[in-house]
Amino acid sequence: MRLHRLTLTAFGPYPGTEHVDFDRLGTAGLFLLHGPTGAGKTAVLDAVCYALYGSVPGTRRADLGALRSHHAAPEVATEVVLDVTVEGRRLEVTRRPEQLRPKKRGAGNTRDKAVSLLAERAADGALRPLSRSHQEIAEEIGTLLGMNREQFCQVVLLPQGDFARFLRADAEDRAKLLGRLFDTSRFATAEQHLAAERTTALETLRDADRTVDHLLHRVHQATGGGPPPPPAESAPAPGEDRADAALGYAAVARCTAREDRDRTAQAAAAAEARHTAAHTAHEATTETARLQQRHAEARDRAGRLAAAADHVAALRRRLTAGRAAGTVAPALDLREEAAEEAARTRATERTARERLPTGLREAGAGCSVPPQTAQGSPGSSPAASSAATESSRRSRTSSHSS
């Protein structure tokens, strides 16, 4: 925030209109307001606070009517105009408190309401009205300044009487006065909050230390005979060297575990090599046993074959004889068929001879028969003669075949 110009009319000890050019005063960087008591030094600061917040510091804010100068003419209205730059914006704030003025017609006074105006000065110097609402102007100024009236009075404006009391007070009273002036209760609240947070953090740290102790004991169990963790009663206070001790122990345990892992890996590799060699030997032994079993089976089979050689030779002889007999089997079959046929022929011949006359029944195949005898003999017929002739032919055929 930067103040440029302040115009006071009938305000405080100033009955007329006074102009304060802060730009001119601030050319050297710092300036001093000095004068006797009642000269109006505090009135200038009250006017700045009144222009910004519509109120003044201290107990005077309860009676804004007391801001009007008692030396001003009745027709002169009390007014404060402040030209200020806030957050890069050039603003002009005009304030008029509620006040009495003479009536324009007749005797007596009339009461004018409080007036607040806010305008923004453009780059070309022209004023652009922004608001005539007390509430809107208060919100706009509070947003731009980032503090309310109490904070502004405590941080920017230090009341003159409180400052003198501060200079004369002892250390304890000075602390109380500073607490009242600057509202240090929020710092006490922050201190209490930080103390509570510290207590909570210590409890969290102790819980973390207990968790670390539990993990260290688990690490000790997992390493199987590694260095034991430091006992809890000898552990350092929370937040001192607990982390370094835990990390040191973990580093030793890690090295021990890494050595155990390397030894275990070497032992596992050796066991794997022995297992591979044993497996290869087992396969070779299994193959040898299989071959030996086959050799024993072959020898046993050879012995059984040698014991059965005579029987096999007899069977081979029988097989040879059977194969030789197989070559004459068709002739034997024909012989049997011819014998059966001859038997049937002899039976047919006997039947046919029984039908011949008695004198011819025993005649041979070459005898001659008188025609009349052949034709007129009882029981003779052409069919019987044909049968007899066929029977004789078959008998001769059978005799030749035999």
Side-chain angles (χ1 to χ4, degrees), residues 37-359:
T37 302
K41 301 183 296 298
T42 304
V44 174
L45 302 179
D46 288 346
V48 173
C49 183
Y50 177 68
L52 293 174
Y53 294 99
S55 179
V56 295
T59 59
R60 300 182 301 279
R61 66 176 180 270
D63 185 13
L64 293 180
L67 298 178
R68 178 174 174 78
S69 175
H70 298 290
H71 307 287
E75 66 276 3
V76 178
T78 299
E79 183 181 70
V80 176
V81 179
L82 176 64
D83 188 4
V84 61
T85 297
V86 182
E87 294 293 329
R89 298 175 61 183
R90 185 78 175 264
L91 302 176
E92 184 177 284
V93 186
T94 303
R95 299 276 190 180
R96 295 175 187 170
E98 184 177 323
Q99 53 191 312
L100 295 175
R101 65 172 176 80
K103 293 182 178 180
K104 295 180 179 180
R105 294 180 181 180
N109 297 322
T110 184
R111 184 175 295 276
D112 288 339
K113 294 182 179 180
V115 176
S116 296
L117 301 175
L118 178 64
E120 184 173 3
R121 189 177 299 277
D124 56 358
L127 285 176
R128 180 172 62 89
L130 296 180
S131 177
R132 299 176 60 91
S133 171
H134 301 289
Q135 184 177 0
E136 290 180 358
I137 294 174
E139 292 178 355
E140 184 71 16
I141 295 297
T143 302
L144 292 175
L145 292 178
M147 63 182 78
N148 54 29
R149 185 190 61 79
E150 288 77 9
Q151 294 171 340
F152 180 81
C153 293
Q154 291 171 356
V155 175
V156 179
L157 302 179
L158 184 63
Q160 181 177 356
D162 291 340
F163 184 71
R165 189 180 304 110
F166 172 76
L167 294 178
R168 295 190 298 267
D170 56 12
E172 183 177 357
D173 294 337
R174 189 176 300 176
K176 293 180 180 180
L177 181 60
L178 286 175
R180 185 175 64 83
L181 291 176
F182 297 102
D183 191 17
T184 58
S185 60
R186 60 183 181 275
F187 299 107
T189 303
E191 183 180 0
Q192 294 175 0
H193 174 71
L194 293 176
E197 290 293 327
R198 178 178 180 274
T199 302
T200 304
L202 287 177
E203 291 296 330
T204 305
L205 182 58
R206 291 190 181 94
D207 293 339
D209 287 342
R210 286 191 288 269
T211 302
V212 169
D213 291 336
H214 178 67
L215 291 176
L216 292 180
H217 282 87
R218 291 186 60 184
V219 169
H220 176 64
Q221 294 176 356
T223 53
E233 58 273 9
S234 63
E240 292 182 359
D241 295 326
R242 187 60 176 166
D244 295 337
L247 292 177
Y249 175 78
V252 174
R254 182 177 67 251
C255 294
T256 304
R258 184 181 293 114
E259 293 175 358
D260 293 341
R261 183 198 63 186
D262 295 340
R263 288 195 298 269
T264 303
Q266 294 177 0
E272 185 69 23
R274 290 194 299 271
H275 171 73
T276 303
H279 182 69
T280 303
H282 172 70
E283 290 182 349
T285 303
T286 302
E287 181 65 17
T288 302
R290 187 182 66 83
L291 295 177
Q292 291 177 352
Q293 183 178 2
R294 290 187 60 186
H295 179 262
E297 292 176 354
R299 290 175 62 88
D300 182 66
R301 184 179 178 185
R304 291 196 303 272
L305 291 177
D310 296 339
H311 180 67
V312 172
L315 292 178
R316 285 180 177 176
R317 287 193 297 271
R318 290 183 61 184
L319 178 61
T320 302
R323 289 176 178 174
T327 57
V328 298
L332 294 177
D333 293 338
L334 291 176
R335 182 177 179 281
E336 291 178 358
E337 292 178 0
E340 292 176 356
E341 185 65 24
R344 287 195 298 271
T345 302
R346 284 193 293 269
T348 301
E349 182 182 2
R350 285 194 300 271
T351 302
R353 285 182 178 277
E354 289 178 355
R355 294 178 181 178
L356 292 176
T358 304

